[in-house]
Amino acid sequence: MCVDAAAEVRLKDIINIEGVRGNDLVGYGLVVGLDGTGDGMRNSPYTEEALSSLLERLGVNVQGEDFRPRNVAAVVVTGTLPPFARAGSQIDITVSAIGDAKSLLGGTLIMTPLHAGDGQVYAVAQGPVLASGFSAEGEAASVKFGAPTSGSIPQGARIEREIDFDFGSMETLRLSLRSPDFTTAARIETAINTAFGKPIATLQDPGTIELAMAGTGLSPVHMIGRIENLSITPEQKARIVIDQKSGTVVLGADVKISKFAVTQGNLTITVRETPFVSQPNPFSRQGETIVLPDTTITVDQNPERRIAEVDENVSLSDLIEGLNALGVGPRELIDILKSVKAAGALHAELVLM
């Protein structure tokens, strides 16, 4: 896949505003109403303790009682408190089992406080869990698709406390680039100063531009609303991203290659094991049944493949065309790019995932 980095983008798509960010929330709760797929109380004593505490708060005394419900699961609830969220608004949450529950399908999360890093409760979660996937098992086989032990609750948490952040009183704004770059930051500075007709933007470093509010007559909110839709052409480093698991290769348009030669091995050896069972003759008292090996080895030589030479400073399209001429697939392309990088002929950053 080829990525062209020369397209214009809006500032809102490549920058963050200092102080404007979300806050992570986490809580511990119980999911009830499961169809026998909850935690085993013997293996998850914390689930039994939490359930007992919940029932006592509801006026049910279970001290000394021997109960082993299989329709309850202990879960960790996570979510993100977005910036400028107000009390009463709702956010999405994720619910994940922490015990030996097999599935959260059909369960309902009981009221769960969600804490931020300061230990304060900022939201309360509750509602039916939407779990994806399924699992089924029998005496000799089982099948599982997805992760039924994890689910989500859209709009499942209600915000109870707000973050104390007075954005409107800020006298200086700082913009941070999501991908710091000297050229991109300089272009942002120029675009903002040109739009206002005065030098209000100052480049601090490759990832930071500072905006002076004095003399503009605008509030911070109006300032961001005016600049976030300005468009620039960001610069990117020459980069090749390789996902080895899926065989995906993404190459940036600025990738350059020095002159080199490459060949793909034309020798393929296949080893196939096909064991078979040998049984004794009928009514034989001394014979026994044994498994005998049967190995088949095939060697495939492809004389059509040749050594290919790649000229110096070729373009990306030329590189892809040349490798395709060799019949190179995604997996082989990954190995070739690694080798070319090791040889010093690939002038790009190689990112392995």
Side-chain angles (χ1 to χ4, degrees):
M1 180 184 296
C2 173
V3 176
D4 186 1
E8 285 195 347
V9 298
R10 300 173 302 176
L11 293 190
K12 66 166 61 178
D13 298 322
I14 59 175
I15 65 171
N16 292 321
I17 304 169
E18 188 177 87
V20 180
R21 62 177 181 83
N23 290 271
D24 295 327
L25 302 177
V26 65
Y28 171 82
L30 294 175
V31 171
V32 301
L34 303 176
D35 187 16
T37 59
D39 292 339
M41 295 300 174
R42 187 182 304 276
N43 299 326
S44 305
Y46 44 83
T47 304
E48 181 179 359
E49 181 180 349
L51 180 59
S52 299
S53 177
L54 171 64
L55 293 176
E56 287 181 0
R57 291 199 304 270
L58 296 177
V60 180
N61 186 8
V62 294
Q63 293 294 333
E65 299 292 337
D66 185 17
F67 67 109
R68 292 286 187 270
R70 289 287 300 177
N71 58 354
V72 181
V75 295
V76 167
V77 183
T78 57
T80 300
L81 184 66
F84 308 117
R86 299 307 177 194
S89 58
Q90 295 174 296
I91 59 175
D92 300 338
I93 56 173
T94 300
V95 180
S96 304
I98 60 175
D100 58 356
K102 296 181 179 179
S103 175
L104 298 181
L105 288 170
T108 300
L109 177 70
I110 300 300
M111 185 180 297
T112 303
L114 300 182
H115 303 261
D118 59 1
Q120 299 294 324
V121 175
Y122 284 87
V124 175
Q126 182 169 280
V129 179
L130 301 180
S132 60
F134 67 89
S135 62
E137 62 181 15
E139 293 294 334
S142 63
V143 61
K144 186 176 182 180
F145 177 78
T149 53
S150 179
S152 62
I153 306 180
Q155 304 293 296
R158 192 178 306 276
I159 298 175
E160 302 292 342
R161 183 195 299 265
E162 301 176 3
I163 299 293
D164 187 15
F165 176 53
D166 189 3
F167 181 72
S169 64
M170 298 183 66
E171 298 180 355
T172 302
L173 296 178
R174 290 164 62 93
L175 310 179
S176 59
L177 273 70
R178 296 171 187 168
S179 299
D181 181 85
F182 284 100
T183 304
T184 303
R187 289 176 181 175
I188 293 176
E189 179 190 45
T190 301
I192 294 176
N193 291 337
T194 301
F196 282 87
K198 60 177 69 175
I200 66 170
T202 304
L203 180 60
Q204 302 291 321
D205 54 58
T208 308
I209 298 98
E210 187 173 275
L211 305 180
M213 301 295 301
T216 62
L218 298 175
S219 67
V221 176
H222 288 91
M223 170 71 78
I224 296 301
R226 183 169 175 180
I227 69 171
E228 67 178 358
N229 288 312
L230 297 177
S231 296
I232 68 160
T233 302
E235 282 292 330
Q236 299 290 340
K237 292 182 179 180
R239 182 175 296 171
I240 299 177
V241 181
I242 297 175
D243 187 346
Q244 301 182 88
K245 294 181 180 179
S246 63
T248 302
V249 181
V250 180
L251 302 95
D254 295 328
V255 174
K256 294 296 182 180
I257 304 291
S258 295
K259 188 173 183 178
F260 70 96
V262 61
T263 182
Q264 275 294 105
N266 57 2
L267 182 64
T268 302
I269 302 177
T270 304
V271 180
R272 182 178 294 107
E273 294 285 355
T274 311
F276 64 93
V277 178
S278 176
Q279 295 182 343
N281 295 326
F283 307 107
S284 174
R285 296 182 178 180
Q286 296 181 350
E288 61 180 4
T289 301
I290 61 174
V291 178
L292 299 177
D294 183 12
T295 303
T296 302
I297 301 178
T298 58
V299 179
D300 179 25
Q301 290 183 330
N302 187 356
E304 299 298 326
R305 294 184 177 178
R306 298 288 188 268
I307 296 178
E309 182 177 338
V310 182
D311 292 331
E312 186 175 3
N313 291 328
V314 298
S315 65
L316 177 63
S317 59
D318 294 333
L319 171 63
I320 298 301
E321 181 180 355
L323 293 178
N324 286 337
L326 290 175
V328 175
R331 299 289 181 181
E332 296 168 321
L333 177 60
I334 292 175
D335 294 334
I336 290 176
L337 291 175
K338 289 180 180 179
S339 300
V340 174
K341 179 66 174 179
L346 178 61
H347 306 301
E349 180 183 359
L350 199 61
V351 180
L352 302 179
M353 301 177 62

